[in-house]
Amino acid sequence: RLAIEGNTLAVGVSQDDRVGPGAGAVYLYERSGAGQVPWQHAQTLHAPDGKPGDAFGFGLAIYCDQLVVGAPM
């Protein structure tokens, strides 16, 4: 899943295994300007209470400076 707003890109990887199998993660990228400037990894987010199978990052939305991350129930 992808969400983009201005110079911020969020990539949801709901099957990321760093916290546990299928726990999920969101990778945030930023760029310093428009055009051909490459995206730079800025931060990796995991659910604060993440556990295997959560699929954190399954849904994403960005508006202004707010990021909403979802997971299936």
Side-chain angles (χ1 to χ4, degrees), residues 17-55:
D17 293 335
R18 291 184 189 198
V19 173
V26 174
Y27 295 88
L28 294 176
Y29 296 86
E30 295 178 345
R31 63 180 175 180
S32 58
Q36 300 299 319
V37 178
W39 294 94
Q40 300 291 319
H41 180 256
Q43 190 174 5
T44 302
L45 305 175
H46 299 278
D49 60 348
K51 56 188 177 294
D54 279 352

Side-chain angles (χ1 to χ4, degrees), residues 1-14:
R1 309 279 190 239
L2 299 173
I4 188 168
E5 173 78 18
N7 291 318
T8 302
L9 169 67
V11 180
V13 184
S14 59

